[in-house]
Amino acid sequence: MLKTEEWKKKRNQIINRDNNKCQRCGFNPAENFPSGTVGTFSREIIIEKTTQVLNGEVKIVRFFDIDYNEWIYCKALKDLPNTFGPNQVLLVSNYIEKKFSNKKFNGSSINNLGKIFFTNNQINARLIKEIKKLIGDQIDFDNFDFDREAFYLSTEGKEREFLKSIHLHVHHRCYRKKFKIWNQPESDYVTLCNVCHRIVHENQLIPFYNENGDIYQYLTPCWKCGGLGYLECYKHIDNGICYACNGDGYQQGLFQFFN
């Protein structure tokens, strides 16, 4: 369904409406937006899972920074090992325009955002300070800030999953029974970059409405792609479509609901 000409036309309409810009972080592939920063840890780290729950393939983890006697919080894939030797694990950080960073973004039709560590300016302050020292003057911090919901631990080869790509996504705020996705109102959609799209799916289940406009069910993001419908690291194979959900992005296929 996402490969049809009707949806491609709808997708372009939404992106043009949103001025070719992610509505959560301000990313525009054509503008000078800072790329993410990838760094390694020079010593062994032991990762602990926290009690915070996210949707899809991601968990919130923490590790202890012995240099600063402080816990550092970030995100990681659920199958990431707990212990890494020196230079075996990567930390990916992303950026957000300051005019967006203080704006509460709700990427769904419902307000079910959970408590997130990274919205508190005091948390990860040491980590941010260290990254700033590493990157020097590469980032214009007068106009950009760290995206506190976009710190990810990764192994080498998977870091691209957590870095912004040049292709913008159109996020479905909801689905509606008996509606083809290209016939839903434009207000049901919003333009996001791939990283922000991931963040929205981590925090929110997407509602499915029946013919009467009542919520029929919430769709659970695919365990493998996290709701995106594709995997950046496999884009050379069938455009990276996620075989676990056939590109739907959800653990339960959508097509049965549109008949």
Side-chain angles (χ1 to χ4, degrees):
M1 189 172 292
L2 296 178
K3 294 182 179 180
T4 62
E5 291 302 316
E6 292 92 340
W7 169 246
K8 291 178 182 178
K9 182 178 178 181
K10 182 77 167 189
R11 178 184 178 277
N12 289 335
Q13 287 176 352
I14 301 302
I15 292 176
N16 289 334
R17 179 202 68 187
D18 291 338
N19 298 314
N20 295 288
K21 178 172 286 194
C22 174
Q23 299 300 292
R24 181 185 173 277
C25 74
F27 175 71
N28 183 331
E31 294 179 354
N32 187 26
F33 198 100
S35 58
T37 302
V38 181
T40 60
F41 295 94
S42 59
R43 60 178 181 276
E44 179 184 75
I45 66 169
I46 299 174
I47 301 169
E48 293 185 5
K49 183 179 178 181
T50 70
T51 57
Q52 289 298 126
V53 177
L54 295 176
N55 297 315
E57 60 176 348
V58 180
K59 61 184 177 182
I60 294 180
V61 299
R62 69 177 188 170
F63 57 92
F64 195 74
D65 190 316
I66 58 175
D67 290 340
Y68 293 103
N69 194 35
E70 189 169 324
W71 287 100
I72 301 297
Y73 292 86
C74 56
K75 297 176 183 176
L77 295 176
K78 287 183 177 178
D79 60 356
L80 198 75
N82 293 330
T83 304
F84 287 92
N87 302 314
Q88 289 184 337
V89 64
L90 306 176
L91 176 70
V92 181
S93 55
N94 287 280
Y95 304 95
I96 186 170
E97 279 193 62
K98 280 196 171 178
K99 62 184 179 182
F100 285 86
S101 62
N102 295 322
K103 173 184 175 184
K104 181 179 178 182
F105 177 85
N106 184 9
S108 179
S109 301
I110 51 176
N111 184 17
N112 65 338
L113 283 172
K115 179 181 177 182
I116 299 299
F117 286 111
F118 315 102
T119 55
N120 185 328
N121 290 336
Q122 300 304 313
I123 294 173
N124 284 349
R126 296 285 190 182
L127 176 62
I128 291 172
K129 182 179 179 180
E130 285 301 299
I131 295 175
K132 282 185 177 181
K133 285 168 57 178
L134 287 173
I135 62 179
D137 298 325
Q138 298 175 31
I139 307 298
D140 176 12
F141 283 106
D142 288 333
N143 294 307
F144 294 94
D145 197 359
F146 285 97
D147 188 341
R148 286 166 174 76
E149 290 193 63
F151 287 123
Y152 290 93
L153 284 181
S154 173
T155 51
E156 189 172 357
K158 288 191 174 183
E159 68 272 16
R160 285 181 298 171
E161 299 295 323
F162 311 113
L163 292 168
K164 298 182 189 297
S165 72
I166 62 172
H167 303 292
L168 291 171
H169 294 194
V170 170
H171 169 65
H172 299 71
R173 295 177 185 269
C174 67
Y175 290 93
R176 300 181 186 277
K177 195 170 185 179
K178 303 297 183 181
F179 274 79
K180 301 292 186 182
I181 56 176
W182 51 84
N183 286 332
Q184 289 185 214
E186 287 197 2
S187 57
D188 285 352
Y189 302 99
V190 64
T191 301
L192 299 172
C193 71
N194 60 306
V195 175
C196 290
H197 198 185
R198 173 183 292 279
I199 289 168
V200 169
H201 280 293
E202 288 168 359
N203 293 297
Q204 301 170 5
L205 298 179
I206 308 305
F208 186 93
Y209 292 101
N210 63 18
E211 298 95 324
N212 298 322
D214 301 319
I215 293 177
Y216 177 78
Q217 67 171 349
Y218 292 103
L219 300 172
T220 303
C222 171
W223 63 270
K224 188 170 186 179
C225 67
L228 300 184
Y230 85 104
L231 298 164
E232 182 74 20
C233 59
Y234 296 117
K235 64 181 180 181
H236 58 288
I237 304 174
D238 201 11
N239 293 319
I241 189 171
C242 177
Y243 292 143
C245 64
N246 293 318
D248 289 346
Y250 301 96
Q251 292 182 14
Q252 189 172 2
L254 290 176
F255 295 106
Q256 60 178 303
F257 299 117
F258 291 94
N259 298 322

